[in-house]
DNA sequence: CTGCCCGACGTTAGCGCTAACTTATTGTAT
DNA sequence: ATACAATAAGTTAGCGCTAACGTCGGGCAG
């Protein structure tokens, strides 16, 4: 392991003081232009790289942010993480990635750890922490962006970004109606899920708006995967044979629904139309290709990081951002 | 933003010196047991959290490692990242996640940045850096684990972890042979890919070992996705109608192959058997379910992190680790 | 020619912590 | 009782950097 070259090394090699080198390298005023060029050149030749740790200790800034997700393996968060990292890179920030595994204790431990490392800001996805704990966190981190979680009252230097699930559900149902569908079912996700709740609301309000009553019989909860979709679809068909459209919690559920509809002898989309949510790669691989609600998650990640930087720099803009899903029409509806 | 509580605060509150508190909190000898307990309790009450930056500056350790991947969105790297993060968390380490986007310049910039932040070690996945640059990196980072990349000569405090693609390909071909398949084709990935090269070698050697000659006509390169698999399969079937088995670069290619085989009026696996690589979730969703080579990537991630910690602590164990893929037999072969 | 301001550079102190040394206190063998 | 460990503390210095202030000289108005 090579020895580190410090500012002092560069300074003595250049025959000037520490501060002159510091100023030259950080492009701060107080150095002559020719001197600055000479120093920068020398520093490069010597292979000087600033010690960010020392710099952080002196300035109280780390050019580092924390990104906390339940599971970076989930494509939803992977896409967001990629977006965050992309714009972080452009701004010379680094990100600490932490998984919580949906475990509040681990989440809390992660936040403590990030705090100890002095991150300039925090992007918190689908936090499972109770509201009071969140407020404590807001008060100690300089800036926080909350993704997929709502806040009762707006908080200074905390900004929320949410997908507008209600509106998305609304759009899907409206599309079904435009196609003349009469009996629209909804396969919801786990009852604990925030998005599940919001989508159900959108489903209900769209039905009421369309003048069709909401029938609890046409709603079924399930595990958010293919198998869950199969089971839920089977019981829906058994219970309400007239249904001619199903709005699904996500694309995996939609795949299960498609499989089960076919196994029951009906056709997609002729007899029963299906709309999913997420637009995962699989949506275009299977036949029929899935009509689905798409959100640009990578874009959300970029937006989150940009917003966070705004807050860090004091230019706190909005307080709650809503992202609208786009209906991508393919073959299943 | 609340004021930070420092060691000095705790010390004066306890009426002892800085060092006594430091020793108490870090479980170092030189403090009486009762005193230690009292200090730890007091520190907790005051909400003291050590400033890792100051600690790092003093000790030259950061309990932080860098994880560099081409794209954290790719499930391959996402799984590895999850494994790395899991064991990092258990050891109270944090990870800096960086994407390179397959861009060597960005990769180099990322490494510089990580170095400036003083990471204790580095896990580098599928590096695109030339060998010479890698050697320079080895000399400045205290510890490096290289995933999916081979090294000509062993290097101190650098350890490689690779999937044994040759052996995997070998296993797949052997399985085909055991089933009596005679004309085994191979759809390879991009020529630039290291794994593609290794799998091709395994394919060739297995054929030779089986006493069947290697026919260049039975190998086709393609983009590593479903569409690529479709195209490659179409031209394989046109060129060599006798083929009765296809080994595919990955599962997505296998999906394309299955689709195209069927469209050409043949059956999977009766007429043509198909084996993929990776065992992605899709492999069990589509019908027929894909027979594929599985590696536990999360396990690789955990292994990488554990190994890295070993190197950091000076207990450098192995130098090159090979992971053997397991053939998961399902329906497509 | 004097005074004053401003830009270019140097010096000092301190961020919060720990390594390494020094000092006080106790116990134990002689 | 004396000497000498061992243990429990305190003190000092410094990690590499930057904020803040200090110094010096030259340009320019009066």
């Amino acid at each position: 392991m090579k020895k580190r070259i410090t500012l002092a090394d560069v300074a003595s090699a250049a025959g000037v003081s520490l501060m002159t080198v510091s100023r030259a390298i950080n492009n701060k005023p107080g150095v002559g232009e020719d001197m600055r060029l000479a120093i920068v050149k020398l520093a490069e030749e010597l292979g000087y790289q600033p010690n960010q740790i020392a710099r952080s200790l002196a300035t109280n800034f780390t050019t580092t942010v924390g990104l906390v997700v339940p599971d970076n393996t989930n494509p939803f968060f992977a896409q967001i993480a990629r977006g965050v990292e992309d714009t972080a890179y452009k701004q010379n920030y680094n990100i600490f990635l932490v998984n919580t595994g949906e475990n509040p204790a681990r989440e809390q431990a992660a936040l403590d750890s990030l705090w100890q490392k002095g991150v300039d800001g925090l992007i918190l996805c689908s936090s499972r922490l109770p509201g009071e704990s969140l407020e404590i966190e807001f008060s100690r981190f300089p800036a926080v962006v909350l993704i997929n979680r709502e806040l009762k009252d707006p908080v200074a230097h905390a900004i929320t970004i949410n997908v507008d699930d209600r509106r998305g559900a609304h759009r899907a149902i409206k599309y079904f109606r435009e196609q003349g569908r009469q009996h629209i079912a909804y396969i919801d996700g786990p009852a604990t899920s925030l998005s599940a709740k919001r989508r159900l609301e959108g489903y209900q309000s769209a039905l009421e708006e369309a003048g069709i009553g909401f029938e609890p019989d046409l709603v079924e909860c399930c595990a958010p995967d293919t198998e869950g979709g199969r089971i839920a679809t089977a019981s829906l068909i058994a219970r309400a044979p007239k249904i001619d459209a199903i709005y699904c919690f996500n694309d995996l559920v939609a795949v299960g629904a498609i499989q089960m509809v076919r196994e029951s002898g009906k056709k997609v989309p002729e007899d029963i139309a299906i709309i999913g949510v997420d637009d995962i790669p699989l949506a275009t691989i299977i036949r029929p290709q899935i009509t689905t609600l798409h959100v640009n998650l990578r874009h959300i990640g970029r937006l989150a990081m940009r917003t966070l930087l705004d807050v860090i720099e004091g230019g706190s803009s909005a307080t709650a951002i809503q992202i609208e899903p786009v209906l991508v029409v393919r073959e299943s509806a």
Side-chain angles (χ1 to χ4, degrees), chain A:
Chain A
M1 224 173 39
K2 235 175 289 181
K3 226 203 99 216
R4 227 183 161 114
I5 291 166
T6 71
L7 262 195
D9 296 330
V10 180
S12 70
V16 296
S17 84
L18 265 180
M19 275 314 290
T20 306
V21 180
S22 172
R23 285 190 266 252
I25 285 176
N26 294 302
N27 267 305
K28 297 221 167 161
V31 209
E33 201 46 41
D34 35 358
M35 172 107 270
R36 152 169 295 136
L37 289 171
I39 289 177
V40 168
K41 182 156 164 283
L42 180 62
E44 195 142 333
E45 283 169 10
L46 293 178
Y48 170 73
Q49 308 244 135
N51 181 331
Q52 277 289 353
I53 296 177
R55 187 178 277 179
S56 298
L57 188 60
T59 61
N60 230 338
F61 285 97
T62 54
T63 57
T64 287
V65 307
L67 173 61
V68 180
V69 297
D71 177 14
N72 77 283
T73 265
N74 179 331
F76 185 86
F77 301 115
Q79 289 286 348
I80 291 178
R82 182 67 206 264
V84 169
E85 211 275 318
D86 279 347
T87 100
Y89 169 72
K90 282 188 196 136
Q91 307 293 328
N92 277 305
Y93 271 70
N94 283 105
I95 73 162
F96 278 123
L97 176 74
V98 190
N99 288 111
T100 67
E102 311 268 3
N103 174 352
R106 182 163 168 186
E107 182 172 348
Q108 185 63 59
L111 293 181
D112 285 349
S113 168
L114 291 173
W115 159 248
Q116 291 176 192
K117 299 235 158 117
V119 296
D120 295 338
L122 191 64
I123 298 178
L124 199 49
C125 299
S126 301
S127 173
R128 299 273 171 176
L129 253 35
E132 316 85 72
S133 308
L134 276 185
E135 273 174 36
I136 296 174
E137 300 306 329
F138 293 154
S139 72
R140 62 174 183 171
F141 284 96
V144 183
V145 167
L146 226 50
I147 295 183
N148 206 24
R149 167 113 190 200
E150 285 163 2
L151 241 41
K152 284 184 216 107
D153 318 299
V155 180
H157 66 253
I159 293 185
T160 63
I161 301 183
N162 280 276
V163 173
D164 197 335
D165 289 298
R166 293 182 198 82
R167 183 102 59 136
H170 205 275
R171 192 156 299 178
I173 305 310
K174 198 172 148 214
Y175 179 78
F176 278 145
R177 289 293 298 153
E178 285 166 5
Q179 302 229 315
R181 306 285 172 175
Q182 304 284 339
H183 306 283
I184 304 169
Y186 174 45
I187 301 181
D188 203 3
T192 56
S193 153
L194 175 61
S195 347
K197 227 182 67 186
R198 295 191 297 213
R199 285 171 205 175
L200 182 59
E201 287 172 21
Y203 167 75
Q204 290 193 18
S205 81
L207 285 185
E208 277 155 24
E209 194 174 290
I212 328 180
F214 163 67
E215 286 183 48
D217 252 19
L218 294 187
V219 174
E220 182 79 27
C221 282
C222 77
D225 52 30
T226 306
E227 193 52 28
R230 293 176 64 98
I231 297 171
T233 306
S235 57
L236 271 178
I237 293 180
R239 196 160 62 210
K242 294 184 306 181
I243 58 174
D244 54 8
I246 307 177
Y247 174 51
C248 296
F249 179 69
N250 68 25
D251 289 340
L252 287 177
V253 170
V255 169
I258 290 174
Q259 290 177 350
M260 189 48 72
V261 166
R262 285 177 157 176
E263 288 174 24
S264 78
K266 301 199 177 182
K267 282 189 175 168
V268 178
E270 293 81 353
D271 302 320
I272 298 183
I274 288 174
I275 294 181
V277 180
D278 285 352
D279 199 14
I280 62 179
L282 179 56
T284 59
I285 291 177
I286 72 155
R287 301 298 124 110
Q289 294 187 16
I290 303 175
T291 294
T292 187
L293 285 164
H294 171 93
V295 292
N296 189 335
L297 295 167
R298 200 150 157 187
H299 170 75
I300 290 187
R302 284 193 288 255
L303 177 64
M305 186 66 201
R306 262 206 308 275
T307 306
L308 190 70
L309 290 172
D310 283 351
V311 178
I312 291 171
E313 286 157 14
S316 153
S317 40
T319 141
I321 301 176
Q322 294 267 342
I323 306 290
E324 303 215 0
V326 177
L327 185 69
V328 181
V329 177
R330 298 211 178 90
E331 299 166 354
S332 73

